[in-house]
Amino acid sequence: MLEESRRAAVRDSLGVGLAVGAYGVAFGAASVAAGLSVLQTSLLSLLAFTGGTQFAVVGVVSGGGTLGTALGGGLLLGARNTLYAMRLAPLLRVRGLRRFVAAQGTIDESTAMAVARRDPAVARVAFWWTFAGIYVCWNATTLAGAVGAQALGDPAKFGLDAVVPAAFLALLAPRLRAGDEREGTAEGDRRERPHHAMRHTRRVSLRIAAGAALIALALIPVTPPGVPVLAAAAAVLLAGRLR
Amino acid sequence: MNLWVLVLATAGGCYALKVAGYLVPARFLDAPQVRRLVELLPIALLAALVVV
């Protein structure tokens, strides 16, 4: 029985790895289009290894933003991995050096796949196999996308500039649909939470998203690239604190 | 902008953020403000990034 659910977890995890890894082509192409070299692009995927941040950083570069705004937006987005790590630490029970390997694999998908499992042993299988699958695919496809974009020349001609907002939308949509489901932080208490509380969470998420989008849109014409995103996040969080 | 500085700072920063989660005490998560903050932050950032 346990063997069977382990095998199922490996299968599911590798499936997610392949599906998500395909986005690496879009990242590789967008990054080279923004002006990064193939080596810099690959290093981002190998070392930063967190898609949302990578897309955010090259997006600001491509818009002509500053180092500070690119780094600021990227790291703020990467801060969610800290929360995932805190959630995963007791589940993975990693100690010593293994903690530093597990840390690199702590991203949206591996967290979601792990916390969705009831059995901690199966959750650990899901985490490591999702990490491995995505790491291999994401880096291979990043390289393919970067080399491909370099060979093609101007990526705007091929509509590749449209993949970046699409990638963000793909990351955002599940968060809005499921409230805090993907965060993996409230897995335990979600079951006990009444339905109206979930609806409330979803409403707050939608309002936050709409507010952030409006603020960013309003600031685009008057601020340097990268600033609208940071300002939108700051304003929305401030509003959340005041309430 | 120096792209090498950006690439290495992004890589180092992202890894440090991940490692930090394994090193801080778990009770840090118990504070509702902290949970709320880290749950809503990606939503705000991603929504803004879609339109920019």
Side-chain angles (χ1 to χ4, degrees):
Chain A
M1 184 61 197
L2 184 64
E3 257 325 293
E4 201 176 306
S5 43
R6 264 176 214 258
R7 264 199 302 275
V10 171
R11 211 168 40 233
D12 291 352
S13 302
L14 289 179
V16 166
L18 280 175
V20 173
Y23 268 110
V25 176
F27 170 71
S31 178
V32 165
L36 279 80
S37 68
V38 173
L39 177 62
Q40 287 166 335
T41 300
S42 286
L43 281 178
L44 271 180
S45 280
L46 285 164
L47 302 176
F49 187 57
T50 178
T53 295
Q54 294 176 232
F55 272 114
V57 165
V58 302
V60 175
V61 173
S62 129
T66 65
L67 178 69
T69 50
L71 195 57
L75 291 185
L76 273 181
L77 204 47
R80 70 192 189 287
N81 293 330
T82 309
L83 188 82
Y84 296 157
M86 290 162 77
R87 174 73 175 82
L88 286 175
L91 188 64
L92 298 179
R93 288 195 305 209
V94 280
R95 257 174 248 118
L97 274 181
R98 275 168 66 101
R99 267 192 308 198
F100 294 91
V101 182
Q104 182 64 331
T106 303
I107 54 171
D108 292 323
E109 294 79 11
S110 57
T111 306
M113 293 300 281
V115 301
R117 303 285 168 175
R118 238 171 257 266
D119 184 333
V122 180
R124 286 191 279 274
V125 171
F127 171 82
W128 289 107
W129 282 92
T130 306
F131 171 22
I134 295 185
Y135 197 78
V136 171
C137 288
W138 179 252
N139 282 295
T141 53
T142 293
L143 185 61
V147 170
Q150 204 178 38
L152 284 176
D154 180 16
K157 263 195 315 220
F158 301 92
L160 276 174
D161 46 345
V163 300
V164 177
F168 288 127
L169 202 56
L171 284 169
L172 176 65
R175 286 166 205 278
L176 296 181
R177 237 192 333 256
D180 54 2
E181 191 171 51
R182 291 239 328 172
E183 290 301 327
T185 54
E187 176 70 15
D189 48 31
R190 199 170 70 236
R191 263 168 248 129
E192 294 130 43
R193 226 192 276 181
H195 189 63
H196 68 265
M198 295 245 333
R199 265 213 314 270
H200 173 74
T201 309
R202 199 146 41 214
R203 241 191 345 258
V204 170
S205 305
L206 276 171
R207 231 182 299 154
I208 293 271
L214 281 175
I215 292 168
L217 272 178
L219 289 178
I220 289 172
V222 291
T223 59
V227 173
V229 172
L230 292 179
V236 162
L237 293 177
L238 210 61
R241 274 183 69 91
L242 293 177
R243 203 156 351 115
Chain B
M1 174 189 333
N2 189 329
L3 289 175
W4 272 114
V5 173
L6 177 65
V7 166
L8 297 178
T10 302
C14 284
Y15 184 63
L17 284 167
K18 292 172 178 176
V19 169
Y22 287 91
L23 302 182
V24 295
R27 65 172 184 280
F28 184 71
L29 250 192
D30 293 344
Q33 299 97 316
V34 175
R35 285 171 70 133
R36 223 175 116 77
L37 194 85
V38 192
E39 273 172 27
L40 296 183
L41 188 64
I43 293 178
L45 283 165
L46 290 168
L49 282 162
V50 170
V51 299
V52 163

